[in-house]
Amino acid sequence: MDNTIEIRWHGRGGQGAKTAALLLADVAFKTGKYVQGFPEYGPERMGAPITAYNRISEAPVTIHSNIYYPDLVAVVDDSLLESIDVTHGLKKEGALIINTEKKKEEILPLLGGFQGAVYTLDAKAISIKALGKNYPNSPMLAAVVAVSGVMDQKDFLREMQASFAHKFAKKPEVIDGNMRALELAFAEVAR
């Protein structure tokens, strides 16, 4: 499909990869895109590997399957690099975003010779700085938007502010921290 970006998320249960994929779909929809956001279900439990997906398009999305050849892959937990081929099917002109404390040079040997763009982000450090806890999904969500260019950053931040205001209506103190995590991720995602 033309003008469609397909994204695959890898994380562990409880890290928010599924939530990030669903939030991205929601925000993209609110900015006028056609979207899909869905997890791949199996025997998921806290800490078990999970996969989630997004399709975001300027035209109606008529495909209803998993994503086998993504344009972008987001890895929320770098320990998965040793057990899962996160680059499987990733288009060679695609991009990979990895949440890691490690230098990119340490990560590259774990990517099976992937030749596309590789971005790193210490989403843990960002979330601890902004929220006081390790919630890597907000920084990774912003990194996906920054790298993919799927929507304008100002539109994204405006819609995320509204989404957080609704989601955290009973805990408004976490809204500012989540917004700060998004802004820090935009500034810090590195290629």
Side-chain angles (χ1 to χ4, degrees), residues 14-25:
Q15 292 178 325
K18 175 184 125 179
T19 300
L22 297 176
L23 274 170
L24 181 58

Side-chain angles (χ1 to χ4, degrees), residues 26-115:
D26 184 51
V27 170
F29 176 76
K30 289 177 180 174
T31 63
K33 310 278 188 199
Y34 293 89
V35 301
Q36 290 179 346
F38 56 98
E40 180 177 306
Y41 283 106
E44 281 81 13
R45 62 191 183 287
M46 187 69 78
I50 67 104
T51 308
Y53 304 93
N54 286 110
R55 279 192 184 91
I56 302 172
S57 180
E58 298 292 331
V61 178
T62 58
I63 299 171
H64 300 283
S65 68
N66 284 353
I67 294 170
Y68 302 103
Y69 303 103
D71 300 290
L72 189 143
V73 171
V75 181
V76 181
D77 186 323
D78 67 351
S79 72
L80 293 169
L81 298 175
E82 297 178 18
S83 59
I84 296 173
D85 179 5
V86 298
T87 63
H88 181 75
L90 180 57
K91 295 174 183 172
K92 58 184 177 177
E93 66 277 1
L96 183 63
I97 306 169
I98 304 166
N99 169 24
T100 186
E101 299 171 345
K102 298 175 184 170
K103 295 187 184 302
K104 188 167 130 178
E105 295 72 32
E106 296 176 73
I107 296 291
L108 292 176
L110 302 172
L111 302 180
F114 176 67
Q115 298 295 308

Side-chain angles (χ1 to χ4, degrees), residues 138-190:
S138 284
M140 288 299 290
L141 179 57
V144 166
V145 171
V147 170
S148 68
V150 73
M151 69 184 79
D152 179 76
Q153 290 182 11
K154 288 180 184 176
D155 292 342
F156 169 75
L157 290 171
R158 182 188 68 244
E159 293 301 334
M160 285 304 297
Q161 176 79 36
S163 180
F164 286 151
H166 176 73
K167 181 176 182 174
F168 299 121
K170 294 185 179 179
K171 296 194 291 186
E173 66 277 6
V174 300
I175 296 170
D176 288 342
N178 273 286
M179 292 305 297
R180 180 157 163 69
L182 296 173
E183 291 165 359
L184 287 170
F186 276 128
E188 294 183 24
V189 66

